[in-house]
Amino acid sequence: MNDEIRRQLRAAAEAHEPNRARILARVERGAAGPNLRHRTPSITRSWPRAAIVGVITAATLATGGLAVAVAAMGGAPTPPATAPTHTVPSRTVPPPTVTSTPTPSTHTTTTGPAPSTSGSARPTPPAGSRVEDGPLWSEGSLDEHSTVYWAQNNLTLKTIDPLTSLTVELRIARTGDVRSTGNWQTLPGDDFTVTVQESGDALLYRWALKPGRTVPAGQHVFAAQYNHAAGLRKVERDSYHVHAHSSVRSVAVWGGFGPPR
């Protein structure tokens, strides 16, 4: 078989598109034609319809086999015909509506002086205060653990000389239903006589060093505790007064209370 015959067979196989429905219709028309009625009943009239369909299917497969055979002779197999593609018109979907939430402004307006960044800086004592005298230094502040129902005022004393006598008084203004709940000091309790009493419009907490006792040099704390009405209590009206004696001289300091340290 020369190349020209091979080319023609391949072209015929590629161009052939068997139509099963058309072949079946043609067979049925031939079986029902008037020119065949006087002859011997044909195969198409005596066979059931299912048998005819089988024959047509076999013929179709045979035709496909021919195409495969031609391809095997020297060409690549022809891909099967694809079914026609129906293009569905695209529908434009409107974009979803997005509701934007305004972003809070990150700009913060700060009023008043900037807070101090130094944790060791001492607060400015109230007017009329004397927080230091000779070897003695003092500072009053609200305790950081105070709450909206309970508070504690702290007095810190520092002395570079031993003290042979010491009297400490803390006055807590009776604002907002103030009621004493206790007191304490860092020095030994047996060295002091401690009293709490009402004095005019304040609660007076008083520590008096007992005769013959001595306060050593160093830092010491005296604290007054109390309940008060719900809310943040102001301590501007609270005050302290300290009188002491060293081996050299008599000293005294006084002042008010500031925010927590």
Side-chain angles (χ1 to χ4, degrees):
M1 181 180 294
N2 55 30
D3 295 337
E4 179 62 22
I5 297 176
R6 184 183 294 109
R7 184 187 62 78
Q8 292 179 1
L9 288 175
R10 185 183 297 110
E14 293 175 352
H16 179 71
E17 296 182 3
N19 193 321
R20 179 179 177 183
R22 185 180 299 174
I23 295 174
L24 179 60
R26 186 177 298 173
V27 172
E28 289 179 350
R29 285 197 304 270
N35 55 342
L36 298 179
R37 293 178 181 176
H38 63 281
R39 299 178 183 178
T40 304
S42 64
I43 297 176
T44 58
R45 298 183 64 183
S46 60
W47 286 6
R49 181 182 179 88
I52 296 175
V53 173
V55 172
I56 294 173
T57 302
T60 302
L61 294 176
T63 304
L66 177 60
V68 173
V70 171
M73 292 179 184
T78 303
T82 57
T85 303
H86 298 283
T87 303
V88 179
S90 61
R91 185 179 61 180
T92 302
V93 179
T97 301
V98 179
T99 303
S100 61
T101 302
T103 303
S105 172
T106 57
H107 176 72
T108 302
T109 302
T110 303
T111 60
S116 173
T117 57
S118 175
S120 60
R122 298 177 181 177
T124 302
S129 300
R130 187 170 77 178
V131 299
E132 188 172 0
D133 184 16
L136 190 63
W137 173 89
S138 63
E139 180 184 72
S141 63
L142 181 68
D143 190 85
E144 62 180 353
H145 298 102
S146 299
T147 69
V148 295
Y149 299 103
W150 174 91
Q152 175 177 296
N153 285 28
N154 297 333
L155 173 62
T156 302
L157 292 180
K158 293 181 181 179
T159 178
I160 59 176
D161 293 335
L163 302 176
T164 57
S165 70
L166 176 65
T167 302
V168 177
E169 292 182 347
L170 273 59
R171 298 179 66 90
I172 308 301
R174 299 180 63 188
T175 58
D177 196 22
V178 168
R179 297 181 181 180
S180 175
T181 58
N183 58 83
W184 58 268
Q185 70 286 324
T186 54
L187 291 167
D190 293 341
D191 289 353
F192 290 87
T193 300
V194 183
T195 60
V196 180
Q197 60 185 12
E198 296 182 5
S199 175
D201 58 354
L203 283 179
L204 179 60
Y205 295 74
R206 191 173 185 271
W207 290 261
L209 184 66
K210 294 179 179 179
R213 309 296 174 92
T214 302
V215 174
Q219 177 173 302
H220 314 289
V221 178
F222 297 82
Q225 301 173 328
Y226 52 90
N227 286 336
H228 58 80
L232 297 177
R233 181 181 178 276
K234 298 180 179 181
V235 295
E236 287 83 354
R237 295 177 56 184
D238 300 344
S239 61
Y240 67 88
H241 188 279
V242 179
H243 186 272
H245 281 87
S246 68
S247 58
V248 178
R249 54 174 289 194
S250 176
V251 294
V253 291
W254 59 85
F257 292 87
R261 295 284 292 153

